[in-house]
Amino acid sequence: MLTAPHQPHGTNYTEAAREITARLAQELDDTVAAGAIQLALEAWKSLAGTDFAWDRYGLELLNVRARLYSEHDDVVVDTGTPVRDDAETRLAVTSLLEQLARYHDRLAADNRDDLNRRLSHDAGARQLRRAVAALA
């Protein structure tokens, strides 16, 4: 579970997305990254059906979560869900995923990991960018 001070408790969805985006830019933290993927999936769950783009977005995210975040199922971000598909929500979500893609780019370039893991991070970064493109 993402806990204080990491947990954006009591914040709305876009505030939480901005906070996690900023934290991802500053540090390599698997828990924060897992919170980011969880928050991104919450947007899909709440907004799927409003626009076909959310379905394409969700498929990419589900694959990334299964491949890279299966051991982080216990991470929860305590925040509200997005209530409407508007420019502010899409900007918060796409900024979050762009930063998460950069996070995975950094891990893909880290020679301390084995090749298979680095290739998984690279593939995850590409999928996250496809999810962003689906919402553009």
Side-chain angles (χ1 to χ4, degrees):
M1 178 178 217
L2 225 52
T3 57
H6 305 293
Q7 186 174 11
H9 183 71
T11 59
N12 72 30
Y13 183 87
T14 55
E15 290 171 351
R18 284 192 284 265
E19 180 181 327
I20 290 177
T21 301
R23 293 207 38 225
L24 275 173
Q26 297 169 0
E27 58 188 298
L28 287 176
D29 184 324
D30 288 345
T31 304
V32 174
I37 200 78
Q38 185 62 32
L39 200 59
L41 283 166
E42 285 301 317
W44 168 66
K45 290 176 189 175
S46 296
L47 301 173
T50 61
D51 183 338
F52 184 64
W54 286 104
D55 292 332
R56 291 188 312 251
Y57 162 94
L59 291 174
E60 298 292 352
L61 288 183
L62 289 171
N63 188 278
V64 170
R65 184 184 70 178
R67 187 171 0 95
L68 296 171
Y69 294 97
S70 61
E71 70 276 4
H72 292 288
D73 286 339
D74 59 342
V75 174
V76 175
V77 180
D78 183 20
T79 189
T81 58
V83 293
R84 65 186 166 281
D85 183 6
D86 59 13
E88 181 183 23
T89 301
R90 284 198 183 207
L91 178 61
V93 169
T94 57
S95 296
L96 176 69
L97 290 184
E98 287 169 353
Q99 190 60 51
L100 188 57
R102 286 190 288 275
Y103 169 87
H104 284 289
D105 284 338
R106 291 186 309 226
L107 292 174
D110 188 346
N111 289 329
R112 292 176 287 181
D113 241 345
D114 65 57
L115 180 60
N116 285 336
R117 189 73 177 157
R118 290 172 51 212
L119 289 173
S120 287
H121 285 296
D122 183 62
R126 283 185 275 123
Q127 282 186 281
L128 291 166
R129 288 188 176 96
R130 283 195 303 264
V132 168
L135 294 181

